[in-house]
Amino acid sequence: MAATLLSLLHPNFSSEKVYRKPVAVLINAQKMRVQYALKQGQNRLSHQLPSGLNMEVIEQKSSGNKDPDETNSENPPLVFVHGSYHAAWCWAEHWLPFFSGFGYDCYAVSLLGQGDSDAPAGSVAGSLQTHAGDIADFIHKNLGLPPVLLGHSFGGLIIQYYIASIKSEQLLEKGKLFPNLTGAVLVCSVPPSGNSGLVWRYLFSKPVAAFKVTRSLAAKAFQTSLSLCKETFFSPTMEDDLVLRYQELMKESSTMPLFDLRKLNSSLPVPSVPKSSIEVLVLGAKNDFIVDAEGLDETGRFYGVTPICVEGVAHDMMLDCSWEKGAKAILSWLNGLKN
């Protein structure tokens, strides 16, 4: 019963038992049939993980500084982590060009089994631990400065695990597997306790919405229904042709579930950490159909910060028709990191 309920809002998991083959053995799964067409200034990289599997990274280096009031101090690189049914392309559409234009080197990863990344053997792509470890490996081998991690939806939960892992290493004086961060941005993120609270609130306070979310995500009806896709991820004013384009990309993005549900549940809530030196921005969307206001507040309380809720934007804040609103809120916060 619990597994069924938890699958209502983010069903991109598997509750099946996983029988692991050697990690470097690829599953015979199809990647995206048509690669996302990169924009000017973007490059598609292939980062080889210690397992031998390759992780897709879309890179867009700094293209200048549009803000005359900005100092010339070196900006931290930005690393973007997507959520369920998405991949690196979701950041490449708007936010990579935006932030690179303000002097930030940007890197968007596709988690294993998503986008054009390799799919590991087994029935699921990984766990909070393995996905966070893959991001840490990329940072360790490729970035010279502590980055800012930005995660959307379940990507935000992975980043929360990453932060907890940094603090655990520091407390236990363990080897440095998780490089330090300059900051973290949690965009419409699943809260530290996971989806259980969200699910119960939807079932008892918004049963119609609970049914729609179940049909859209658990039954993957968003892949075939334009209206459900728009209501789940985007604002009502989003143009239908754009929704159709993103709907097709989301359909192609996930070759396997991100998590095993039972193993995920055993990892939650995300371990609490002492007062962290890592600056955290908790950013939500007023019209979010998936993560409600209480879920946003829970994440803010966990990190001792006041969340920012952006008006007139839906769950897919980085793709929505008013994507600039969230980007500008993050840019303002990034500028404050230098003061």
Side-chain angles (χ1 to χ4, degrees), residues 46 53-54 79 81 88 97 101 131 150 163 184 230 270-271 276 281 329 334:
S46 183
L53 302 179
N54 292 311
V79 179
V81 183
H131 289 310
L150 300 92
I163 294 171
K230 179 182 283 191
V270 172
S276 175
L281 170 64
L334 287 171

Side-chain angles (χ1 to χ4, degrees), residues 3 10 19 61 74 89-90 107 141 153 190-191 193 234 254 274 322 327:
H10 275 283
Y19 296 92
K61 293 294 188 71
E74 193 167 9
W89 63 265
C90 72
Y107 306 87
K141 293 177 180 175
S153 199
V190 173
S193 62
F234 305 110
S254 182
S322 296

Side-chain angles (χ1 to χ4, degrees), residues 221-285:
F222 80 88
Q223 296 181 348
T224 55
S225 169
L226 173 67
S227 60
L228 265 182
C229 186
K230 179 182 283 191
E231 189 168 9
T232 304
F233 298 106
F234 305 110
S235 295
T237 54
M238 186 83 159
E239 295 178 2
D240 286 354
D241 60 339
L242 274 178
V243 177
L244 286 168
R245 177 168 175 260
Y246 296 147
Q247 180 186 48
E248 186 62 28
L249 285 166
M250 284 188 272
K251 190 187 306 183
E252 292 284 320
S253 288
S254 182
T255 60
M256 64 196 314
L258 280 177
F259 302 104
D260 178 281
L261 181 58
R262 291 174 302 179
K263 291 184 178 180
L264 181 74
N265 289 339
S266 68
S267 304
L268 297 175
V270 172
S272 60
V273 295
K275 176 64 177 175
S276 175
S277 60
I278 299 170
E279 297 289 338
V280 177
L281 170 64
V282 177
L283 191 68

Side-chain angles (χ1 to χ4, degrees), residues 74-97:
E74 193 167 9
N75 291 328
L78 308 181
V79 179
F80 297 81
V81 183
H82 64 84
S84 301
Y85 302 119
H86 292 64
W89 63 265
C90 72
W91 306 105
E93 186 78 349
H94 299 299
W95 282 17
L96 262 59

Side-chain angles (χ1 to χ4, degrees), residues 32-257:
M32 294 182 74
R33 288 173 292 184
V34 179
Q35 278 192 330
Y36 173 81
L38 300 182
K39 298 183 179 300
Q40 184 176 1
Q42 296 178 349
N43 298 299
R44 181 175 280 108
L45 312 177
S46 183
H47 173 71
Q48 187 173 65
L49 297 166
S51 63
L53 302 179
N54 292 311
M55 183 170 69
E56 177 192 27
V57 181
I58 297 178
E59 168 197 76
Q60 188 160 7
K61 293 294 188 71
S62 165
S63 60
N65 193 332
K66 295 179 180 178
D67 190 339
D69 296 327
E70 282 298 289
T71 66
N72 293 322
S73 60
E74 193 167 9
N75 291 328
L78 308 181
V79 179
F80 297 81
V81 183
H82 64 84
S84 301
Y85 302 119
H86 292 64
W89 63 265
C90 72
W91 306 105
E93 186 78 349
H94 299 299
W95 282 17
L96 262 59
F98 178 87
F99 288 106
S100 68
F102 282 96
Y104 291 89
D105 289 342
C106 298
Y107 306 87
V109 304
S110 290
L111 300 170
L112 289 182
Q114 323 299 311
D116 280 312
S117 290
D118 288 338
S123 61
V124 295
S127 63
L128 285 177
Q129 295 92 326
T130 62
H131 289 310
D134 291 345
I135 296 164
D137 185 74
F138 170 76
I139 292 171
H140 175 70
K141 293 177 180 175
N142 295 278
L143 304 184
L145 292 173
V148 173
L149 278 182
L150 300 92
H152 175 249
S153 199
F154 251 107
L157 192 65
I158 293 169
I159 289 175
Q160 292 174 51
Y161 185 87
Y162 187 113
I163 294 171
S165 298
I166 291 175
K167 300 308 293 184
S168 175
E169 287 180 344
Q170 291 173 345
L171 290 172
L172 298 176
E173 298 183 349
K174 293 171 61 178
K176 202 66 182 166
L177 298 177
F178 288 83
N180 283 330
L181 303 176
T182 295
V185 181
L186 307 176
V187 182
C188 300
S189 176
V190 173
S193 62
N195 278 339
S196 57
L198 296 171
V199 170
W200 285 108
R201 288 194 295 275
Y202 270 66
L203 285 174
F204 289 103
S205 65
K206 298 188 285 187
V208 174
F211 171 77
K212 286 184 176 181
V213 172
T214 303
R215 181 165 172 256
S216 180
L217 296 178
K220 299 184 181 179
F222 80 88
Q223 296 181 348
T224 55
S225 169
L226 173 67
S227 60
L228 265 182
C229 186
K230 179 182 283 191
E231 189 168 9
T232 304
F233 298 106
F234 305 110
S235 295
T237 54
M238 186 83 159
E239 295 178 2
D240 286 354
D241 60 339
L242 274 178
V243 177
L244 286 168
R245 177 168 175 260
Y246 296 147
Q247 180 186 48
E248 186 62 28
L249 285 166
M250 284 188 272
K251 190 187 306 183
E252 292 284 320
S253 288
S254 182
T255 60
M256 64 196 314

